[in-house]
Amino acid sequence: MVTLVVAEQRDGVLNRASLEAIVAAQAMGGDVKVVVPGAPGAAVAAELAAADVTEVIALEHAALGAYTADGFVQALAALIAAESPAHVVFTHTYQTRDYAPKLAARLDRSIATDCIGVKSAGGGQLFVRPMFQGKINADVALEGPAPHLVTFQIGAFRVDALKKGGAAAPSRTVAAAVDPSAIRQKPEAPFREAKQAVDLSQAERIVSVGRGIKGEEHIALAKQLADALGAELAASRPICDAGWLPMERQVGSSGQTVAPKLYLALGISGAIQHVVGMKGARTIVAINKDPEAPIFEIADYGIAGDLFEIIPAMMAALK
């Protein structure tokens, strides 16, 4: 069985979540191949080749230099037909959400999106998918002929679980089958809401604030702690809805999904809408004055107390 992982890169920088997709593919068993649409560059190819994979394929064409759904679907449909994998695995980024369903329709194959796990059952695979905003998880069996397409939620698998190869995996370049005249989209620079826009999914440390911060004037205190930790500042939805922090820093089901090494939750109760966006963090530290707050159920370390006393003490210790 061969699983084909579609990695994502931009301007020669690999999206860290692509390594998580490789971890998911490795958990499925069998051989793993990785394809990178566009010219990946030596650094991206080397990073992928360090994993325990059969080979790395650079899928190149001038029309793939900038992302378009039509271009990616054409190129990947042709490559998948040539490689005949059992599964095609993606990480569930905004880009993947744009073109993967169309690719599945073009191939006339089943797709399961936003999965968080995989199980072996009856000689096949079951994909674990959250339902009803994460209130329950469903085991999904994909029917019909191979290949089956699967996207995995960012943070569902940890990069530190990546199996490395004893030597660099072989790489090859494939000329993509793309008809530029069939591309209907005109690529532009990626949209950014503001100059300070941040991709929290790439952050290794995050300090996140909730309603327990009480007022906008106290955001500065959380920012000081984030700076002391070398972390990004994030928030739950009520903070962003109030305009205390920009929407680009929201974590949760209606914001970004993150999987940092450290997630420090300040005054966050732990509503399911927020938890689904950060439960993939390696270490979760929660500070909340309510000892019964749901956030403590998933926290690795919890402090039940006044964050306005605890944060200054933490910063003093860090200094």
Side-chain angles (χ1 to χ4, degrees), residues 209-215 218 239 266-269 288-289 307-308:
V209 296
R211 281 181 287 195
I213 203 72
K214 294 184 179 179
H218 298 137
I239 299 300
L266 308 178
I268 292 175
S269 63
N288 198 297
K289 66 179 181 180
L307 62 87
F308 297 106

Side-chain angles (χ1 to χ4, degrees), residues 4 52 61 94-97 120 160 162 167 173 207 210 232 252 255 258 289 293-294:
L4 181 68
D52 184 13
H61 192 285
Y94 287 112
Q95 181 171 293
T96 298
R97 296 181 207 186
S120 296
D160 57 6
L162 181 71
T173 299
V207 172
E232 291 287 354
V258 300
K289 66 179 181 180

Side-chain angles (χ1 to χ4, degrees), residues 252-273:
S253 59
S254 55
Q256 296 198 47
T257 300
V258 300
K261 292 181 179 178
L262 172 66
Y263 190 88
L264 185 51
L266 308 178
I268 292 175
S269 63
I272 186 64
Q273 291 84 356

Side-chain angles (χ1 to χ4, degrees), residues 6 50 68 77 83 128 149 167 186 203 214 225 267 272 278 303:
V6 181
T68 62
E83 296 295 325
V128 184
L149 281 64
K186 291 184 177 181
K214 294 184 179 179
L225 178 58
I272 186 64
M278 46 69 72
I303 304 175

Side-chain angles (χ1 to χ4, degrees), residues 49-313:
D52 184 13
V53 297
T54 304
E55 67 173 341
V56 177
I57 304 169
L59 189 59
E60 296 187 0
H61 192 285
L64 300 179
Y67 166 75
T68 62
D70 285 344
F72 270 48
V73 167
Q74 287 186 62
L76 288 171
L79 182 76
I80 290 168
E83 296 295 325
S84 299
H87 296 92
V88 183
V89 169
F90 311 78
T91 186
H92 196 71
T93 62
Y94 287 112
Q95 181 171 293
T96 298
R97 296 181 207 186
D98 185 47
Y99 77 87
K102 180 179 178 180
L103 176 61
R106 174 71 62 88
L107 297 171
D108 193 23
R109 294 295 185 267
S110 300
I111 182 171
T113 61
D114 206 22
C115 297
I116 60 172
V118 60
K119 302 176 180 178
S120 296
Q125 306 286 348
L126 292 177
F127 300 100
V128 184
R129 189 178 187 279
M131 309 287 285
F132 305 111
Q133 289 193 320
K135 290 182 175 64
I136 62 171
N137 291 332
D139 292 343
V140 178
L142 294 176
E143 299 182 344
H148 295 149
L149 281 64
V150 186
T151 76
F152 284 99
Q153 192 178 106
I154 295 174
F157 292 85
R158 294 180 174 176
V159 173
D160 57 6
L162 181 71
K163 297 176 183 176
K164 298 294 185 71
S171 301
R172 63 185 169 103
T173 299
V174 173
V178 178
D179 177 7
S181 66
I183 297 177
R184 297 165 294 178
Q185 299 88 19
K186 291 184 177 181
E188 296 181 352
F191 171 75
R192 289 189 179 275
E193 186 175 345
K195 290 182 179 179
Q196 70 271 23
V198 61
D199 184 0
L200 295 175
S201 68
Q202 305 300 307
E204 291 195 351
R205 292 175 295 278
I206 292 175
V207 172
S208 191
V209 296
R211 281 181 287 195
I213 203 72
K214 294 184 179 179
E216 184 176 7
E217 67 275 13
H218 298 137
I219 295 292
L221 182 63
K223 179 66 166 62
Q224 291 172 22
L225 178 58
D227 290 343
L229 287 167
E232 291 287 354
L233 186 63
S236 60
R237 179 170 180 171
I239 299 300
C240 296
D241 284 348
W244 298 355
L245 282 174
M247 297 302 295
E248 69 210 34
R249 293 192 177 270
Q250 179 185 331
V251 170
S253 59
S254 55
Q256 296 198 47
T257 300
V258 300
K261 292 181 179 178
L262 172 66
Y263 190 88
L264 185 51
L266 308 178
I268 292 175
S269 63
I272 186 64
Q273 291 84 356
H274 183 78
V275 169
V276 296
M278 46 69 72
K279 63 183 179 181
R282 184 187 304 177
T283 302
I284 299 171
V285 179
I287 303 174
N288 198 297
K289 66 179 181 180
D290 178 8
E292 302 299 323
I295 192 70
F296 289 126
E297 296 178 7
I298 64 166
D300 297 287
Y301 300 94
I303 304 175
D306 187 344
L307 62 87
F308 297 106
E309 297 176 359
I310 296 165
I311 293 176

